[in-house]
Amino acid sequence: MRVMDEKLKKISEKVYAGERLSFEDGMAILQTEDVWTLGELANHVRQKMHGRVTYYNVNRHLNYSNVCALSCKFCAFYRKRGQDGAYEYDLDRVKKEAKEAAEAGATEIHIVGGLHPYLPFEYYTEMLEAIRDISPQIHIKAFTAVEIVHFARISKRPKDLVGVLEDLKAAGLGSLPGGGAEIFDDRVHDEAFKGKIRSDMWFRVHKTAHELGLMSNATMLYGHIESLEDRVQHFMQLRDAQDEAIEKGHGGRFQTIIPLPFIPDKSELEHLPGPSGLDNLKMLAASRLMLDNFAHVKSFWIMQTLQLSELALNFGVDDMDGTVVWYDITKVGGSDTHQEVTVSDLRKSIVDAGYEAVERDTLYRPIERDGAEWRLAEEVVVS
Ligand code: V47
């Protein structure tokens, strides 16, 4: 027989009363073995916010280079220049990828790369301009906070984040992805990703973007050397920053939290086991419960698996992202987490789980699609 965790009883009262949860509540959530009650609570919030709707999008990832000045222990992607497997795309390759994405009906290109030591700032603005010229309709979600800080350095204005973001925006940047947040804790930072920006800079970049009216996302990389306290602290800091963004009312804010389970293979932390499936479910549910001011919780199925993502729709998740193309099979470039899915597989997964599949653009506006042609659903109603 199922026994309800006593600590979840108090949390349950708060959740049903719509009250904000505390740090201690966050700890109880991550420590509980009563995963079913946790799921019910996260699902209650999810249903209140989104009903049966589950979002997905048709996007392409563009990893322009894996050459990186940093050597983060958790990362299996980076290479040093000249090392076996190191690559960087020239503009022609970027254009080819953009053309393919547009022809495949993608609504978004998600761009991330390493901190390349030699490419000039113009490489990045030209990349954005080239994509915008090929398809003005595609939303460009690009560059993690650490890349933005790198651009400020290479364009010799280390303190001028506004200038850098304005230049990128003028060239076609639509929003910032949530990567590079890892875990907002200095001990973990110094041990696992020393050299990368600390949390204060990550937040400064996102706050600056929000002030310029740009939306952004947030991630948490968990299941490596961090503690449960670190995870809850990470939630609290994100929630505070989102309160501030909403209060300031500049228009920009965090849209989505994407908890990322650490995948140990081929990283310097390969000896660690990585999180379990249960841990992943708990983190998705905890994200929904702790981040009451975030509209969306995304299960990045490429890291979570499609099967777990399907189950997670009952644990607080309302969004399934991934590199999906409407008719085609596609792959994530440059990593060992290669998986393939068609849009119909993804939709089937959502419908089989009892939910309504809604295609969205990057800003969570519903899409009307006819093959590779698409437009915003509101536009259809208006015209
Ligand atoms: O920043 C690196 C993480 C991130 C590993 O904003 C790893 O919509 C697991 O941020 N195991 C990139 N994770 C991915 C990312 C993302 C993905 C999907 C959607 C969005 C969004 C953002 O992946 C990196 C880093 O935090 N990462 N190495 C690893 N071994």
Side-chain angles (χ1 to χ4, degrees), residues 179-216:
E182 321 316 357
I183 282 281
F184 300 139
D185 177 79
D186 287 350
R187 175 196 69 85
V188 181
H189 172 276
D190 291 353
E191 212 175 316
F193 44 99
K194 205 176 166 86
K196 207 167 203 172
I197 54 169
R198 285 182 188 272
S199 53
D200 54 345
M201 278 309 284
W202 190 92
F203 277 109
R204 201 175 304 164
V205 170
H206 282 260
K207 279 179 193 176
T208 310
H210 295 162
E211 283 165 15
L212 294 175
L214 292 168
M215 293 293 186
S216 74

mmCIF file of all heavy atoms in Angstrom, residues 179-216:
data_model
loop_
_atom_site.group_PDB
_atom_site.id
_atom_site.type_symbol
_atom_site.label_atom_id
_atom_site.label_comp_id
_atom_site.label_asym_id
_atom_site.label_seq_id
_atom_site.Cartn_x
_atom_site.Cartn_y
_atom_site.Cartn_z
ATOM 1 N N GLY A 179 21.341 27.347 -21.883
ATOM 2 C CA GLY A 179 22.551 26.578 -21.558
ATOM 3 C C GLY A 179 23.586 27.343 -20.746
ATOM 4 O O GLY A 179 23.508 28.554 -20.576
ATOM 5 N N GLY A 180 24.552 26.576 -20.252
ATOM 6 C CA GLY A 180 25.688 27.161 -19.545
ATOM 7 C C GLY A 180 25.422 27.529 -18.099
ATOM 8 O O GLY A 180 26.317 28.002 -17.406
ATOM 9 N N ALA A 181 24.204 27.287 -17.625
ATOM 10 C CA ALA A 181 23.899 27.643 -16.229
ATOM 11 C C ALA A 181 24.559 26.629 -15.287
ATOM 12 O O ALA A 181 24.989 26.985 -14.181
ATOM 13 C CB ALA A 181 22.394 27.659 -16.019
ATOM 14 N N GLU A 182 24.620 25.391 -15.723
ATOM 15 C CA GLU A 182 25.176 24.269 -14.944
ATOM 16 C C GLU A 182 24.564 24.258 -13.553
ATOM 17 O O GLU A 182 23.391 24.063 -13.409
ATOM 18 C CB GLU A 182 26.713 24.332 -14.902
ATOM 19 C CG GLU A 182 27.419 24.771 -16.189
ATOM 20 C CD GLU A 182 26.930 24.174 -17.516
ATOM 21 O OE1 GLU A 182 26.038 23.325 -17.509
ATOM 22 O OE2 GLU A 182 27.422 24.598 -18.569
ATOM 23 N N ILE A 183 25.382 24.545 -12.508
ATOM 24 C CA ILE A 183 24.849 24.640 -11.139
ATOM 25 C C ILE A 183 25.392 25.937 -10.556
ATOM 26 O O ILE A 183 26.597 26.197 -10.615
ATOM 27 C CB ILE A 183 25.330 23.435 -10.291
ATOM 28 C CG1 ILE A 183 24.521 22.171 -10.621
ATOM 29 C CG2 ILE A 183 25.263 23.718 -8.800
ATOM 30 C CD1 ILE A 183 23.141 22.082 -9.982
ATOM 31 N N PHE A 184 24.487 26.744 -10.023
ATOM 32 C CA PHE A 184 24.898 28.052 -9.496
ATOM 33 C C PHE A 184 25.560 27.908 -8.128
ATOM 34 O O PHE A 184 25.011 28.323 -7.112
ATOM 35 C CB PHE A 184 23.689 28.985 -9.370
ATOM 36 C CG PHE A 184 22.981 29.252 -10.675
ATOM 37 C CD1 PHE A 184 21.592 29.290 -10.718
ATOM 38 C CD2 PHE A 184 23.687 29.494 -11.846
ATOM 39 C CE1 PHE A 184 20.917 29.545 -11.902
ATOM 40 C CE2 PHE A 184 23.020 29.754 -13.046
ATOM 41 C CZ PHE A 184 21.636 29.782 -13.065
ATOM 42 N N ASP A 185 26.743 27.330 -8.108
ATOM 43 C CA ASP A 185 27.444 27.189 -6.830
ATOM 44 C C ASP A 185 28.939 27.261 -7.097
ATOM 45 O O ASP A 185 29.448 26.569 -7.987
ATOM 46 C CB ASP A 185 27.094 25.839 -6.180
ATOM 47 C CG ASP A 185 27.861 25.640 -4.889
ATOM 48 O OD1 ASP A 185 27.454 26.222 -3.868
ATOM 49 O OD2 ASP A 185 28.896 24.934 -4.900
ATOM 50 N N ASP A 186 29.641 28.072 -6.300
ATOM 51 C CA ASP A 186 31.071 28.298 -6.555
ATOM 52 C C ASP A 186 31.926 27.046 -6.352
ATOM 53 O O ASP A 186 32.887 26.824 -7.089
ATOM 54 C CB ASP A 186 31.590 29.433 -5.656
ATOM 55 C CG ASP A 186 31.073 30.788 -6.138
ATOM 56 O OD1 ASP A 186 30.491 30.844 -7.241
ATOM 57 O OD2 ASP A 186 31.237 31.775 -5.400
ATOM 58 N N ARG A 187 31.581 26.219 -5.334
ATOM 59 C CA ARG A 187 32.378 24.998 -5.115
ATOM 60 C C ARG A 187 32.295 24.086 -6.339
ATOM 61 O O ARG A 187 33.301 23.630 -6.871
ATOM 62 C CB ARG A 187 31.865 24.237 -3.874
ATOM 63 C CG ARG A 187 32.567 22.890 -3.651
ATOM 64 C CD ARG A 187 31.824 21.982 -2.676
ATOM 65 N NE ARG A 187 30.565 21.473 -3.187
ATOM 66 C CZ ARG A 187 30.436 20.384 -3.957
ATOM 67 N NH1 ARG A 187 31.502 19.693 -4.310
ATOM 68 N NH2 ARG A 187 29.241 19.990 -4.365
ATOM 69 N N VAL A 188 31.072 23.876 -6.809
ATOM 70 C CA VAL A 188 30.872 23.000 -7.975
ATOM 71 C C VAL A 188 31.531 23.637 -9.203
ATOM 72 O O VAL A 188 32.196 22.957 -9.994
ATOM 73 C CB VAL A 188 29.366 22.759 -8.216
ATOM 74 C CG1 VAL A 188 29.162 21.836 -9.408
ATOM 75 C CG2 VAL A 188 28.718 22.165 -6.974
ATOM 76 N N HIS A 189 31.368 24.940 -9.328
ATOM 77 C CA HIS A 189 31.987 25.672 -10.436
ATOM 78 C C HIS A 189 33.492 25.412 -10.474
ATOM 79 O O HIS A 189 34.057 25.019 -11.487
ATOM 80 C CB HIS A 189 31.698 27.175 -10.267
ATOM 81 C CG HIS A 189 32.424 28.055 -11.230
ATOM 82 N ND1 HIS A 189 33.722 28.476 -11.020
ATOM 83 C CD2 HIS A 189 32.053 28.588 -12.425
ATOM 84 C CE1 HIS A 189 34.104 29.231 -12.035
ATOM 85 N NE2 HIS A 189 33.114 29.320 -12.898
ATOM 86 N N ASP A 190 34.165 25.611 -9.304
ATOM 87 C CA ASP A 190 35.623 25.504 -9.281
ATOM 88 C C ASP A 190 36.100 24.077 -9.525
ATOM 89 O O ASP A 190 37.189 23.851 -10.024
ATOM 90 C CB ASP A 190 36.168 26.022 -7.940
ATOM 91 C CG ASP A 190 35.976 27.536 -7.842
ATOM 92 O OD1 ASP A 190 35.552 28.145 -8.852
ATOM 93 O OD2 ASP A 190 36.235 28.097 -6.767
ATOM 94 N N GLU A 191 35.269 23.116 -9.172
ATOM 95 C CA GLU A 191 35.682 21.726 -9.332
ATOM 96 C C GLU A 191 35.373 21.180 -10.733
ATOM 97 O O GLU A 191 36.159 20.408 -11.288
ATOM 98 C CB GLU A 191 34.962 20.879 -8.279
ATOM 99 C CG GLU A 191 35.802 19.696 -7.829
ATOM 100 C CD GLU A 191 35.122 18.948 -6.697
ATOM 101 O OE1 GLU A 191 34.617 19.600 -5.771
ATOM 102 O OE2 GLU A 191 35.099 17.700 -6.784
ATOM 103 N N ALA A 192 34.253 21.592 -11.293
ATOM 104 C CA ALA A 192 33.814 20.933 -12.537
ATOM 105 C C ALA A 192 33.872 21.816 -13.772
ATOM 106 O O ALA A 192 33.950 21.307 -14.878
ATOM 107 C CB ALA A 192 32.395 20.393 -12.362
ATOM 108 N N PHE A 193 33.812 23.122 -13.595
ATOM 109 C CA PHE A 193 33.845 23.968 -14.796
ATOM 110 C C PHE A 193 34.552 25.287 -14.533
ATOM 111 O O PHE A 193 34.093 26.359 -14.919
ATOM 112 C CB PHE A 193 32.453 24.158 -15.414
ATOM 113 C CG PHE A 193 31.325 24.452 -14.455
ATOM 114 C CD1 PHE A 193 30.879 25.745 -14.250
ATOM 115 C CD2 PHE A 193 30.695 23.424 -13.776
ATOM 116 C CE1 PHE A 193 29.827 26.008 -13.390
ATOM 117 C CE2 PHE A 193 29.640 23.673 -12.907
ATOM 118 C CZ PHE A 193 29.220 24.971 -12.719
ATOM 119 N N LYS A 194 35.698 25.164 -13.859
ATOM 120 C CA LYS A 194 36.526 26.342 -13.559
ATOM 121 C C LYS A 194 36.891 27.042 -14.875
ATOM 122 O O LYS A 194 37.157 26.400 -15.878
ATOM 123 C CB LYS A 194 37.809 25.871 -12.853
ATOM 124 C CG LYS A 194 38.452 26.925 -11.974
ATOM 125 C CD LYS A 194 39.644 26.323 -11.254
ATOM 126 C CE LYS A 194 40.480 27.418 -10.649
ATOM 127 N NZ LYS A 194 40.062 27.838 -9.346
ATOM 128 N N GLY A 195 36.893 28.351 -14.849
ATOM 129 C CA GLY A 195 37.243 29.082 -16.070
ATOM 130 C C GLY A 195 35.990 29.593 -16.760
ATOM 131 O O GLY A 195 36.005 30.600 -17.456
ATOM 132 N N LYS A 196 34.886 28.879 -16.558
ATOM 133 C CA LYS A 196 33.606 29.332 -17.117
ATOM 134 C C LYS A 196 33.109 30.496 -16.252
ATOM 135 O O LYS A 196 33.529 30.636 -15.098
ATOM 136 C CB LYS A 196 32.605 28.169 -17.012
ATOM 137 C CG LYS A 196 31.538 28.208 -18.059
ATOM 138 C CD LYS A 196 30.783 26.913 -18.108
ATOM 139 C CE LYS A 196 30.145 26.773 -19.475
ATOM 140 N NZ LYS A 196 29.548 25.488 -19.711
ATOM 141 N N ILE A 197 32.188 31.304 -16.793
ATOM 142 C CA ILE A 197 31.654 32.393 -15.974
ATOM 143 C C ILE A 197 30.935 31.817 -14.754
ATOM 144 O O ILE A 197 30.389 30.719 -14.798
ATOM 145 C CB ILE A 197 30.665 33.277 -16.776
ATOM 146 C CG1 ILE A 197 29.555 32.446 -17.422
ATOM 147 C CG2 ILE A 197 31.407 34.113 -17.797
ATOM 148 C CD1 ILE A 197 28.419 33.284 -17.992
ATOM 149 N N ARG A 198 30.944 32.593 -13.667
ATOM 150 C CA ARG A 198 30.206 32.183 -12.472
ATOM 151 C C ARG A 198 28.742 32.596 -12.620
ATOM 152 O O ARG A 198 28.373 33.320 -13.536
ATOM 153 C CB ARG A 198 30.809 32.844 -11.231
ATOM 154 C CG ARG A 198 32.130 32.223 -10.795
ATOM 155 C CD ARG A 198 32.617 32.916 -9.544
ATOM 156 N NE ARG A 198 33.965 32.486 -9.205
ATOM 157 C CZ ARG A 198 34.252 31.432 -8.446
ATOM 158 N NH1 ARG A 198 33.287 30.705 -7.932
ATOM 159 N NH2 ARG A 198 35.500 31.117 -8.188
ATOM 160 N N SER A 199 27.965 32.193 -11.636
ATOM 161 C CA SER A 199 26.519 32.433 -11.726
ATOM 162 C C SER A 199 26.169 33.921 -11.833
ATOM 163 O O SER A 199 25.220 34.282 -12.534
ATOM 164 C CB SER A 199 25.804 31.809 -10.534
ATOM 165 O OG SER A 199 26.388 32.242 -9.342
ATOM 166 N N ASP A 200 26.945 34.783 -11.149
ATOM 167 C CA ASP A 200 26.592 36.214 -11.198
ATOM 168 C C ASP A 200 26.613 36.729 -12.641
ATOM 169 O O ASP A 200 25.741 37.483 -13.067
ATOM 170 C CB ASP A 200 27.507 37.055 -10.291
ATOM 171 C CG ASP A 200 28.985 36.859 -10.584
ATOM 172 O OD1 ASP A 200 29.333 35.874 -11.274
ATOM 173 O OD2 ASP A 200 29.807 37.688 -10.144
ATOM 174 N N MET A 201 27.611 36.276 -13.412
ATOM 175 C CA MET A 201 27.698 36.728 -14.807
ATOM 176 C C MET A 201 26.603 36.088 -15.666
ATOM 177 O O MET A 201 26.065 36.714 -16.570
ATOM 178 C CB MET A 201 29.075 36.402 -15.410
ATOM 179 C CG MET A 201 30.147 37.399 -15.076
ATOM 180 S SD MET A 201 29.672 39.114 -15.415
ATOM 181 C CE MET A 201 29.806 39.179 -17.179
ATOM 182 N N TRP A 202 26.296 34.829 -15.383
ATOM 183 C CA TRP A 202 25.215 34.153 -16.141
ATOM 184 C C TRP A 202 23.922 34.954 -15.971
ATOM 185 O O TRP A 202 23.227 35.269 -16.937
ATOM 186 C CB TRP A 202 25.036 32.712 -15.640
ATOM 187 C CG TRP A 202 24.120 31.886 -16.507
ATOM 188 C CD1 TRP A 202 24.474 31.088 -17.551
ATOM 189 C CD2 TRP A 202 22.688 31.801 -16.421
ATOM 190 N NE1 TRP A 202 23.366 30.514 -18.120
ATOM 191 C CE2 TRP A 202 22.247 30.934 -17.449
ATOM 192 C CE3 TRP A 202 21.737 32.375 -15.579
ATOM 193 C CZ2 TRP A 202 20.908 30.611 -17.661
ATOM 194 C CZ3 TRP A 202 20.390 32.071 -15.792
ATOM 195 C CH2 TRP A 202 19.996 31.197 -16.817
ATOM 196 N N PHE A 203 23.658 35.341 -14.719
ATOM 197 C CA PHE A 203 22.428 36.106 -14.462
ATOM 198 C C PHE A 203 22.512 37.500 -15.085
ATOM 199 O O PHE A 203 21.515 38.011 -15.587
ATOM 200 C CB PHE A 203 22.158 36.214 -12.957
ATOM 201 C CG PHE A 203 21.455 34.996 -12.417
ATOM 202 C CD1 PHE A 203 22.109 34.094 -11.601
ATOM 203 C CD2 PHE A 203 20.132 34.740 -12.755
ATOM 204 C CE1 PHE A 203 21.456 32.963 -11.120
ATOM 205 C CE2 PHE A 203 19.464 33.607 -12.277
ATOM 206 C CZ PHE A 203 20.132 32.727 -11.463
ATOM 207 N N ARG A 204 23.713 38.097 -15.035
ATOM 208 C CA ARG A 204 23.825 39.448 -15.600
ATOM 209 C C ARG A 204 23.481 39.431 -17.097
ATOM 210 O O ARG A 204 22.791 40.303 -17.595
ATOM 211 C CB ARG A 204 25.230 40.023 -15.372
ATOM 212 C CG ARG A 204 25.195 41.547 -15.463
ATOM 213 C CD ARG A 204 26.514 42.206 -15.124
ATOM 214 N NE ARG A 204 27.020 41.854 -13.809
ATOM 215 C CZ ARG A 204 28.272 42.049 -13.420
ATOM 216 N NH1 ARG A 204 29.140 42.589 -14.247
ATOM 217 N NH2 ARG A 204 28.666 41.697 -12.214
ATOM 218 N N VAL A 205 23.969 38.427 -17.801
ATOM 219 C CA VAL A 205 23.678 38.335 -19.245
ATOM 220 C C VAL A 205 22.176 38.178 -19.464
ATOM 221 O O VAL A 205 21.574 38.881 -20.279
ATOM 222 C CB VAL A 205 24.436 37.151 -19.888
ATOM 223 C CG1 VAL A 205 23.954 36.912 -21.316
ATOM 224 C CG2 VAL A 205 25.941 37.409 -19.873
ATOM 225 N N HIS A 206 21.559 37.281 -18.715
ATOM 226 C CA HIS A 206 20.119 37.050 -18.926
ATOM 227 C C HIS A 206 19.296 38.274 -18.535
ATOM 228 O O HIS A 206 18.347 38.638 -19.229
ATOM 229 C CB HIS A 206 19.661 35.785 -18.187
ATOM 230 C CG HIS A 206 20.045 34.548 -18.941
ATOM 231 N ND1 HIS A 206 19.170 33.846 -19.736
ATOM 232 C CD2 HIS A 206 21.250 33.924 -19.072
ATOM 233 C CE1 HIS A 206 19.808 32.836 -20.313
ATOM 234 N NE2 HIS A 206 21.075 32.859 -19.918
ATOM 235 N N LYS A 207 19.701 38.921 -17.433
ATOM 236 C CA LYS A 207 18.962 40.138 -17.032
ATOM 237 C C LYS A 207 19.096 41.221 -18.094
ATOM 238 O O LYS A 207 18.136 41.918 -18.411
ATOM 239 C CB LYS A 207 19.501 40.660 -15.692
ATOM 240 C CG LYS A 207 18.927 39.904 -14.515
ATOM 241 C CD LYS A 207 19.471 40.403 -13.191
ATOM 242 C CE LYS A 207 19.108 39.413 -12.093
ATOM 243 N NZ LYS A 207 19.676 39.754 -10.799
ATOM 244 N N THR A 208 20.298 41.357 -18.634
ATOM 245 C CA THR A 208 20.504 42.370 -19.681
ATOM 246 C C THR A 208 19.643 42.040 -20.896
ATOM 247 O O THR A 208 19.012 42.922 -21.472
ATOM 248 C CB THR A 208 22.007 42.433 -20.088
ATOM 249 O OG1 THR A 208 22.785 42.556 -18.894
ATOM 250 C CG2 THR A 208 22.287 43.607 -20.993
ATOM 251 N N ALA A 209 19.630 40.786 -21.266
ATOM 252 C CA ALA A 209 18.793 40.366 -22.410
ATOM 253 C C ALA A 209 17.326 40.687 -22.120
ATOM 254 O O ALA A 209 16.615 41.228 -22.971
ATOM 255 C CB ALA A 209 18.974 38.875 -22.675
ATOM 256 N N HIS A 210 16.876 40.368 -20.907
ATOM 257 C CA HIS A 210 15.475 40.648 -20.550
ATOM 258 C C HIS A 210 15.189 42.143 -20.653
ATOM 259 O O HIS A 210 14.132 42.558 -21.136
ATOM 260 C CB HIS A 210 15.181 40.160 -19.122
ATOM 261 C CG HIS A 210 15.292 38.672 -18.976
ATOM 262 N ND1 HIS A 210 15.432 38.033 -17.765
ATOM 263 C CD2 HIS A 210 15.294 37.681 -19.906
ATOM 264 C CE1 HIS A 210 15.509 36.727 -17.949
ATOM 265 N NE2 HIS A 210 15.431 36.485 -19.237
ATOM 266 N N GLU A 211 16.141 42.940 -20.187
ATOM 267 C CA GLU A 211 15.932 44.403 -20.240
ATOM 268 C C GLU A 211 15.828 44.909 -21.675
ATOM 269 O O GLU A 211 15.213 45.929 -21.932
ATOM 270 C CB GLU A 211 17.063 45.116 -19.486
ATOM 271 C CG GLU A 211 16.846 45.029 -17.985
ATOM 272 C CD GLU A 211 18.070 45.373 -17.152
ATOM 273 O OE1 GLU A 211 19.020 45.964 -17.708
ATOM 274 O OE2 GLU A 211 18.080 45.027 -15.966
ATOM 275 N N LEU A 212 16.453 44.165 -22.588
ATOM 276 C CA LEU A 212 16.360 44.550 -24.005
ATOM 277 C C LEU A 212 15.129 43.921 -24.669
ATOM 278 O O LEU A 212 14.965 43.977 -25.882
ATOM 279 C CB LEU A 212 17.622 44.106 -24.759
ATOM 280 C CG LEU A 212 18.925 44.813 -24.345
ATOM 281 C CD1 LEU A 212 20.113 44.211 -25.074
ATOM 282 C CD2 LEU A 212 18.836 46.304 -24.643
ATOM 283 N N GLY A 213 14.298 43.285 -23.851
ATOM 284 C CA GLY A 213 13.052 42.719 -24.373
ATOM 285 C C GLY A 213 13.200 41.310 -24.936
ATOM 286 O O GLY A 213 12.272 40.794 -25.562
ATOM 287 N N LEU A 214 14.374 40.703 -24.729
ATOM 288 C CA LEU A 214 14.579 39.345 -25.261
ATOM 289 C C LEU A 214 14.115 38.297 -24.254
ATOM 290 O O LEU A 214 14.347 38.440 -23.052
ATOM 291 C CB LEU A 214 16.068 39.103 -25.553
ATOM 292 C CG LEU A 214 16.711 39.886 -26.700
ATOM 293 C CD1 LEU A 214 18.225 39.733 -26.656
ATOM 294 C CD2 LEU A 214 16.163 39.404 -28.046
ATOM 295 N N MET A 215 13.498 37.251 -24.754
ATOM 296 C CA MET A 215 13.154 36.109 -23.904
ATOM 297 C C MET A 215 14.382 35.212 -23.779
ATOM 298 O O MET A 215 15.249 35.210 -24.671
ATOM 299 C CB MET A 215 12.022 35.301 -24.535
ATOM 300 C CG MET A 215 10.718 36.031 -24.591
ATOM 301 S SD MET A 215 10.078 36.306 -22.929
ATOM 302 C CE MET A 215 8.482 37.000 -23.311
ATOM 303 N N SER A 216 14.407 34.434 -22.698
ATOM 304 C CA SER A 216 15.500 33.458 -22.570
ATOM 305 C C SER A 216 14.981 32.230 -21.831
ATOM 306 O O SER A 216 13.872 32.238 -21.308
ATOM 307 C CB SER A 216 16.690 34.078 -21.833
ATOM 308 O OG SER A 216 16.413 34.205 -20.459
#
